[in-house]
Amino acid sequence: MKYKQWNQAASDPAAVAALEGAGLPTLAAMTLCARGLDTPEKARAFLDAGRGQLQDPMGMKDMDKAAARLARALAAGETVAVYGDYDVDGITSTSLLTDFLRREGGMVIPYIPDRMEEGYGLNTDALDTLHQAGVSLVVTVDCGITAVEEARHAARLGMDLVITDHHECKEELPAALAVVDPHRSDCPYPFKCLAGVGVALKLVLALGGRARQEELLDRYADLAAIGTVADVMSLTGENRTIVRLGLEALRHTGRPGLKALLRQAGLEERPLNSVAIGYTLAPRLNASGRMGCASLAAELLLTADPARGEELAIQLCELNRERQTIEARISAECQELAEALPPEERYALVLAGDHWHQGVVGIVASRLAEKYSCPAFMICLQDDKGKGSCRSFGGFNLFAALEHCAPLLEGFGGHELAAGFTILEENIPAFTAAMNDYVRRCTGGTEMVSTLDVDCPVDDVGILTLEGVEGLDLLEPYGSGNPKPVFSLSGCLITTLSEVGGGRHLKLKLASGGRSFDAIFFSATAAEMGVAQGDRVDVAFTPQVNEYRGWRSVQFQVCDLRPALTRAQAERALFEKFRRGEALTRREAAALLPSREEFVVLWRYLKGHAGQSPLEETAHRLARNIARSAGRRETVMRTLVCLEVFDERGLIQLEHTTDHLHIALRTVEGKVDLDESWIMRRLRGMSS
């Protein structure tokens, strides 16, 4: 198993049927119900990704001030600096606002700080440089919300500062002319999950006015979609609309550099979706910032020269390969360090090194957080100081954790799931202890375990058709807040198994319900998963359509495998699910519903074995003994249901211990109608 725990949502057959009745495909309906969108009204509201979902940008605090100041700068011919960040969100934000202002006739200097030399966010040296270049207005994108001192410095230089950001705010906001951030406590804007590029897009829409909204959305949705997906923002609400519009725009983008990058990344002829952005396009754009030359990616997005765009696209792909090599080396080293840590330092993983590449440690932190099931903090040391990148695990709030440890830090910023910080090397031991203590207290001292959220079990493989799987496209785009659907299938037989991709991936053929499915499990081997040909497994997977030489078939992209339960174990698990009051599928309820004959056979057995003294027995042995006496196949789950019904109707006194059943007959006068049992009525209702 890759995950220690599978969390499976309770299914509601009636709700699924209602969505199917409203015209939704079965697999899509099952997924939406599992995620709480269990009425046609809720489902339609979620699936609606039309432009009508977009909120008025002027509803954001200080947007009126920001737009007015930029409009004045354009009218007066002032030189404006667009100051961004070196990640994909910051690069796309910088490119989007720069392109718009230049098209409006503005004199614009795009500025992205060097990750290695300057670090994240506004810095006073950069402001001095921009002031000397004649800049009178600085507009930040995807940064600036914590730049209190830098805002004071800009004021001393006589430069106006407009901040647009989407990161968490601290108690004190910078004293800028306008501070536009939906996370401001006094900002009434209803959608709080915009990326930095989303806020930049809103500024452009505010400047353009309602009459130009369609035009500007068509022009900039591609950049906004890339930054939103790359920054792992929740793909709900406005973001769902932005990304869907952006994916359409990407297919026919007029940006020569972006078109070249799509070609170099092998995406030109492939379907473009959020996964393609997140795993193929974004890493290449991000590589420039990680390797200390973010201006290359910004130039690629802004260039109008196809030849220069091609040249830059090739450079970005080469930088990405270099980044992958460095990342693999640092990851191997950090895993050795992590394995050597004592248990009290495993609640939060804090690692420091003086030779790590600052641009890569964030990715390594993500890998470590997933591998060790805890928040990970990576610190790059130089001249007795450290620059840290951290990544969350299991929804742990990093920003709150860094706030708690703020006295030990020189500075920090970010959001709940990803953040950065600076620290003196001498404070790292105290920070390690404080952070581990904080995480331990937040989790109650219990180990954080890797969990997989499974939307629905598949009881009938007949629904896994090409048409059914294609129906899941309704749920696109996938990402944070709207992950790809995950289904589970129990008791699959592994008929063939091989390792592909240089032994890095597992290719399987799985048999279930008279059908055979191809499956691929990325970054897994047979030894790691403990599986072999002929094994029976439960599989958690995302279904997809595979095309090969014109042949289209349903394929499983495997999320996890685990040994299948024996029949007796599966039956007991189903009974316990019913006993806990969880919803059952029609098929599950029908499997649990005893026949009249089964009641009769069990009652005769109990009369013969528990007449004078209580019967002590395990459920499995009791079911086996009854089956032998009646010449029937044993069934643990229906035997247990019969006993519960007898107990409910006062025929027996039933007690459960850890492994045993304690059964004593009661004296009852007259006939007892078992059909009136609440248990039987409930099972019949769920199975009909």
Side-chain angles (χ1 to χ4, degrees):
M1 288 176 65
K2 181 178 178 181
Y3 296 91
K4 289 188 177 181
Q5 181 177 312
W6 292 9
N7 293 334
Q8 190 155 282
S11 59
D12 185 344
V16 173
L19 294 194
E20 289 177 301
L24 288 170
T26 299
L27 291 174
M30 291 167 63
T31 305
L32 289 167
C33 285
R35 298 177 180 184
L37 304 166
D38 52 5
T39 66
E41 294 74 24
K42 290 179 183 177
R44 277 194 293 269
F46 172 78
L47 294 173
D48 177 18
R51 300 184 184 213
Q53 293 282 86
L54 298 176
Q55 303 288 329
D56 181 0
M58 286 301 186
M60 208 173 292
K61 181 73 174 178
D62 276 7
M63 182 64 83
D64 55 344
K65 297 177 184 177
R69 181 62 184 91
L70 265 170
R72 195 163 76 247
L74 287 171
E78 296 179 57
T79 301
V80 178
V82 177
Y83 194 112
D85 184 22
Y86 39 65
D87 67 359
V88 178
D89 190 14
I91 292 166
T92 52
S93 302
T94 304
S95 302
L96 189 156
L97 186 55
T98 297
D99 183 79
F100 172 78
L101 294 175
R102 283 177 173 172
R103 285 174 181 266
E104 298 299 300
M107 299 289 294
V108 187
I109 299 175
Y111 191 96
I112 298 176
D114 184 280
R115 182 191 288 261
M116 313 306 168
E117 300 298 326
E118 299 174 83
Y120 171 79
L122 275 176
N123 67 81
T124 55
D125 288 343
L127 290 172
D128 289 339
T129 300
L130 292 171
H131 181 252
Q132 290 166 11
V135 170
S136 55
L137 171 63
V138 176
V139 184
T140 72
V141 286
D142 191 36
C143 65
I145 198 62
T146 60
V148 174
E149 290 302 321
E150 291 78 7
R152 294 190 182 114
H153 187 72
R156 286 194 292 270
L157 294 172
M159 288 195 300
D160 282 342
L161 178 64
V162 168
I163 290 172
T164 75
D165 203 348
H166 75 122
H167 293 100
E168 296 286 345
C169 305
K170 294 182 181 178
E171 190 171 333
E172 182 181 2
L173 293 177
L177 190 70
V179 178
V180 182
D181 187 329
H183 287 288
R184 283 183 61 163
S185 60
D186 58 350
C187 180
Y189 198 75
F191 187 70
K192 304 295 184 182
C193 301
L194 289 171
V197 73
V199 179
L201 175 65
K202 289 291 177 177
L203 176 57
V204 164
L205 294 176
L207 281 161
R210 287 185 181 276
R212 298 181 62 191
Q213 179 165 302
E214 300 296 316
E215 166 210 339
L216 295 175
L217 280 172
D218 289 341
R219 184 185 300 160
Y220 295 116
D222 55 353
L223 297 181
I226 293 169
T228 298
V229 171
D231 222 43
V232 200
M233 303 311 296
S234 175
L235 294 192
T236 56
E238 283 194 276
N239 284 343
R240 185 171 170 79
T241 299
I242 289 169
V243 173
R244 182 168 283 187
L245 291 173
L247 289 171
E248 287 296 324
L250 264 177
R251 292 185 176 91
H252 48 80
T253 182
R255 304 179 203 284
L258 192 50
K259 192 176 292 185
L261 187 61
L262 288 168
R263 185 165 51 252
Q264 289 294 330
L267 292 175
E268 193 174 35
E269 302 299 327
R270 287 170 51 193
L272 282 174
N273 53 31
S274 56
V275 175
I277 291 178
Y279 289 92
T280 305
L281 197 61
R284 286 163 170 78
L285 290 168
N286 219 2
S288 65
R290 292 192 180 282
M291 304 307 287
C293 41
S295 58
L296 289 180
E299 185 184 353
L300 175 133
L301 296 177
L302 288 168
T303 186
D305 181 358
R308 180 57 177 160
E310 194 74 32
E311 180 184 330
L312 288 166
I314 292 169
Q315 281 185 259
L316 291 186
C317 290
E318 289 174 351
L319 282 171
N320 190 50
R321 286 189 286 272
E322 183 183 347
R323 185 270 305 168
Q324 289 171 327
T325 301
I326 295 171
E327 178 195 331
R329 176 174 50 78
I330 297 176
S331 289
E333 180 182 343
C334 288
Q335 286 182 38
E336 288 185 16
L337 293 173
E339 296 292 344
L341 289 174
E344 62 270 17
E345 293 184 13
R346 288 287 191 91
Y347 292 100
L349 207 60
V350 181
L351 303 175
D354 57 8
H355 55 282
W356 294 338
H357 196 293
Q358 175 66 37
V360 173
V361 292
I363 306 178
V364 177
S366 294
R367 303 274 189 269
L368 294 173
E370 184 177 343
K371 181 176 179 62
Y372 294 101
S373 303
C374 66
F377 301 76
M378 296 278 293
I379 304 171
C380 300
L381 297 174
Q382 185 176 2
D383 300 328
D384 301 324
K385 292 183 179 179
K387 291 182 180 179
S389 291
C390 50
R391 297 295 183 269
S392 176
F393 178 80
F396 178 78
N397 190 327
L398 286 175
F399 194 82
L402 291 173
E403 276 191 313
H404 175 77
C405 297
L408 297 168
L409 304 174
E410 299 298 291
F412 68 93
H415 46 76
E416 293 183 6
L417 303 182
F421 60 97
T422 53
I423 186 171
L424 296 177
E425 184 174 2
E426 64 189 42
N427 287 338
I428 292 176
F431 174 77
T432 300
M435 186 58 71
N436 272 275
D437 179 65
Y438 180 80
V439 175
R440 180 182 57 77
R441 286 190 284 111
C442 285
T443 58
T446 58
E447 180 187 4
M448 298 174 76
V449 298
S450 56
T451 59
L452 174 66
D453 290 328
V454 178
D455 290 296
C456 327
V458 173
D459 297 312
D460 177 10
V461 295
I463 65 175
L464 296 171
T465 62
L466 279 171
E467 184 181 9
V469 174
E470 287 170 339
L472 288 170
D473 290 346
L474 282 172
L475 307 182
E476 284 272 15
Y478 297 128
S480 175
N482 182 40
K484 290 196 291 185
V486 177
F487 299 93
S488 64
L489 198 53
S490 300
C492 296
L493 176 67
I494 299 178
T495 56
T496 64
L497 172 151
S498 61
E499 291 179 350
V500 296
R504 293 178 295 119
H505 313 304
L506 195 56
K507 188 177 182 181
L508 312 107
K509 198 173 279 290
L510 301 170
S512 177
R515 290 184 60 188
S516 182
F517 297 94
D518 289 324
I520 184 73
F521 196 172
F522 292 113
S523 302
T525 66
E528 288 171 345
M529 293 298 109
V531 294
Q533 185 175 333
D535 285 352
R536 286 204 174 269
V537 294
D538 297 339
V539 57
F541 65 97
T542 295
Q544 57 191 19
V545 176
N546 184 45
E547 297 193 30
Y548 181 69
R549 294 181 178 176
W551 177 257
R552 303 174 79 245
S553 61
V554 174
Q555 182 187 58
F556 294 174
Q557 184 173 325
V558 177
C559 305
D560 202 7
L561 297 169
R562 65 184 183 190
L565 298 175
T566 65
R567 184 168 60 81
Q569 288 172 327
E571 288 185 357
R572 183 63 187 251
L574 179 56
F575 171 76
E576 292 298 337
K577 179 180 178 182
F578 171 70
R579 197 163 175 240
R580 290 193 299 269
E582 296 178 17
L584 304 180
T585 65
R586 289 190 186 93
R587 187 175 176 182
E588 288 174 332
L592 280 172
L593 193 62
S595 66
R596 184 165 185 80
E597 184 182 357
E598 284 172 308
F599 278 119
V600 171
V601 169
L602 175 58
W603 183 249
R604 286 175 181 165
Y605 183 88
L606 293 179
K607 292 276 283 187
H609 293 79
Q612 302 300 319
S613 59
L615 176 66
E616 294 271 356
E617 192 57 278
T618 66
H620 179 68
R621 280 201 301 263
L622 177 61
R624 183 184 61 198
N625 292 340
I626 294 168
R628 284 176 179 171
S629 68
R632 302 166 56 92
R633 186 176 73 85
E634 65 180 270
T635 162
V636 174
M637 57 184 177
R638 286 202 295 276
T639 298
L640 288 168
V641 171
C642 287
L643 289 171
E644 292 286 347
V645 172
F646 286 159
D647 183 55
E648 180 201 333
R649 302 301 289 164
L651 293 170
I652 64 172
Q653 180 178 338
L654 176 65
E655 294 179 8
H656 292 261
T657 61
T658 305
D659 297 314
H660 284 72
L661 303 171
H662 180 96
I663 306 166
L665 295 185
R666 293 177 182 268
T667 302
V668 179
E669 293 185 8
K671 289 187 176 182
V672 175
D673 188 353
L674 299 182
D675 285 336
E676 288 302 308
S677 158
W678 176 84
I679 294 172
M680 292 296 287
R681 291 201 307 271
R682 181 168 171 240
L683 282 173
R684 281 196 297 268
M686 287 191 289
S687 62
S688 61

